Amino acid sequence: MVKGLMSVLLVLVAVSSSFGKPEKNSSAKKEKKLPQTLSRGWGDELTWTQTYEEALFRARSSNKPLLVIHHLEDCPHSQAMKQIFANNKEIQKMAGEDFILLNLVFETSDKHLAPDGQYVPRFIFVDPSLTVRADITGRYGNRLYAYEPADIDLLLSNMKKAKKLLKTEL
């Protein structure tokens, strides 16, 4: 009886230890992932804020407009816009020098950041007085703050407009 129990115990130990061993082939298939930064690929050389509250504080204290980018990591439209935004040198330069930047992969509790719905990608400008600029929009009537890769010149123009209006209004 003792020998039978020892045999069963030995089999259970052998089976349970095989569950803890990683497969050799599965490690070769996995990609090496880099650590996530606040830029999330929108411009690694730029300074990004971590939260909406921090971004509002920095916009007010630095007297710079805030650019909020709502996007999703698995959205093809967001990914396409991210590539265009990150590779456009003029946008990267202006964003780094003249804007407080925040990109969000989740919705905030502030209803002003989704005035016409929660879609992505969405680019919203907030001036240093903490007013959402409803007058600075994209070209779509049903998604006012949406931009597509073909709209990059409009986004650049709107960034200039947000910067210019800031100087003439304040």
Side-chain angles (χ1 to χ4, degrees), residues 45-47 62-65 89-101 159 163:
E45 303 300 318
L46 301 175
T47 302
S62 67
N63 201 34
K64 289 182 178 180
K89 290 181 180 168
E90 190 174 359
I91 283 183
Q92 291 289 301
K93 183 178 188 311
M94 189 183 311
E97 293 174 359
D98 302 320
F99 287 87
I100 302 300
L101 300 167
M159 288 174 74
K163 193 171 78 168

Side-chain angles (χ1 to χ4, degrees), residues 60-78:
R60 175 163 263 180
S61 61
S62 67
N63 201 34
K64 289 182 178 180
L66 165 62
L67 173 58
V68 181
I69 304 171
H70 292 272
H71 64 99
L72 293 174
E73 292 295 328
D74 59 350
C75 169
H77 302 289
S78 295

